[in-house]
Amino acid sequence: MKAERIARLLVIVLAIGLPALVVLARSAPGPIEIHGVMANEGGWTPGELTAKVGEPINLRLTSDDVVHGFAIGQSPWPSVEVMPGKWTTTTLVFDRPGKYTFYCTRWCGPNHWRMRGTIEVTGSDTVTVTETTPLFISLKRDLDAPHPSDVVPSEKPSAARGDALGVKSDLAADAYRTQSPAQVWRTLRERATTQALSDQQVWDLVAAAWRSNTTPARLAEGRQLYAANCAACHGETGRGDGVMATSLQKAAPSDMPGMLGHDTVKPIDFTNSQNLLGASSAILEGKIIRGGMGTGMPYWGPILTAPQIWALIDYLWMFQFDP
Ligand code: HEC
Ligand SMILES: [Cu+2]
């Protein structure tokens, strides 16, 4: 009987190691009913759920007003639609304990971003971190924490100038992926070998380190992917002024200062060093895979391959560093 039931489940596993496994389960027993309404009217009811690692929980979702979306943070899993008057069924199996946030992915009103709930998952960690696990998951990075840098260069750092300084930067092998340029700048600034250099020259060393982690072929691939998928919002020049940017801004309510660490849902300006130099590649990777929580930044996890995403990340850094 059990085998028969399992056979009826359509199991979709995302190729890149999931903390949450979502199964479409029509016939699974004992679903939890969740109603969504705009946040000023109450948000999700119930808003707090519990689950155990490895034990499926079945959800039936409906909306009591407009169309909402339902997604779970810290997972690259795409959202499901929650329609008024209809039921959407979904089953979750967590493979890692922790407090997960679920949230609405549709711009349903000014308090849209407050439309959140939590799932407390207990049990022991069953995730085996593999080479293909996205870094933001294996490093447990919080994608929604603001990441401003308190140090910025006075002009665009140049990898060529950095190389010309002839200083050996024996950085940790994973510095490029896991640390922000600001962190690396601090590490290098404290070195005895850089004492004679200016702050700007140390930035040039950072640019050289970043460039040495990519190749012209990867940058060319990143440029192409960016033009095709990202420039419409983030702009050809990375300034966040693409043709779609104005329509996104209109949707942004004016009374949401500091939302998700950004003032509005204007697409991120990749040339803004205060913002970008405080981010690590791991954070950028996570944002590209997961997208913004209803901010208009699409999720690319199910669309782009991991090498494509890393080509894009390499390319994004070139808005800060002159190769
Ligand atoms: C429909 C418009 C749109 C498109 C297309 C789009 N973005 Fe975004 N993006 C946004 C918005 C809006 C934000 C700001 C909200 C947020 O951070 O969640 C953002 C934020 C980001 C961030 C977060 C930066 C930070 O400092 O936290 C990254 C990285 C990013 N986008 C990369 C990309 C890449 C790469 C592509 C193309 C594959 C892309 N975006 C396509 C709208 C878009
Ligand atoms: Cu909503």
Side-chain angles (χ1 to χ4, degrees), residues 5-69:
R5 185 178 298 152
I6 289 165
R8 266 186 271 140
L9 302 179
L10 171 59
V11 184
I12 306 161
V13 183
L14 211 70
I16 35 175
L18 281 178
L21 222 173
V22 181
V23 182
L24 295 169
R26 254 158 221 267
S27 57
I32 301 164
E33 290 189 354
I34 299 183
H35 289 253
V37 292
M38 288 190 275
N40 37 325
E41 309 287 338
W44 301 106
T45 317
E48 285 169 16
L49 305 175
T50 54
K52 289 208 175 87
V53 169
E55 289 181 17
I57 54 166
N58 304 304
L59 305 179
R60 285 184 81 221
L61 300 138
T62 193
S63 164
D64 294 341
D65 49 19
V66 298
V67 180
H68 297 284

Side-chain angles (χ1 to χ4, degrees), residues 170-192:
D170 43 358
L171 289 164
D174 63 354
Y176 167 74
R177 293 181 161 231
T178 62
Q179 297 178 23
S180 69
Q183 278 172 293
V184 169
W185 182 86
R186 264 202 208 85
T187 307
L188 292 176
R189 180 71 285 186
E190 279 160 17
R191 294 264 167 88

Side-chain angles (χ1 to χ4, degrees), residues 67-69 104 106 108 112 115:
V67 180
H68 297 284
C104 178
R106 286 291 196 110
C108 55
H112 157 76
M115 198 168 160

Side-chain angles (χ1 to χ4, degrees), residues 107 245 248-249 251-253 256 259 262-268 294-296:
W107 198 274
L248 284 175
Q249 265 176 286
M256 291 167 50
M259 176 206 159
H262 305 296
D263 286 339
T264 64
V265 289
K266 196 177 179 306
I268 296 290
T295 59

Side-chain angles (χ1 to χ4, degrees), residues 147 225-226 229-230 232-234 244 248 260 262 265-268 270 275-276 279 283-284 287-288 291-293 295-298 300 304 312 316:
H147 50 69
L225 288 166
Y226 182 88
N229 300 297
C230 323
C233 290
H234 290 283
M244 302 232 342
L248 284 175
L260 303 180
H262 305 296
V265 289
K266 196 177 179 306
I268 296 290
F270 293 127
N275 176 61
L276 209 64
I283 293 278
L284 300 182
K287 292 259 188 164
I288 295 168
M293 290 201 185
T295 59
M297 167 64 189
W300 299 93
L304 301 171
L312 274 164
L316 294 187

Side-chain angles (χ1 to χ4, degrees), residues 103 143-144 285-301:
Y103 59 96
L143 294 187
D144 300 310
E285 180 202 31
K287 292 259 188 164
I288 295 168
I289 290 175
R290 192 210 62 181
M293 290 201 185
T295 59
M297 167 64 189
Y299 51 83
W300 299 93

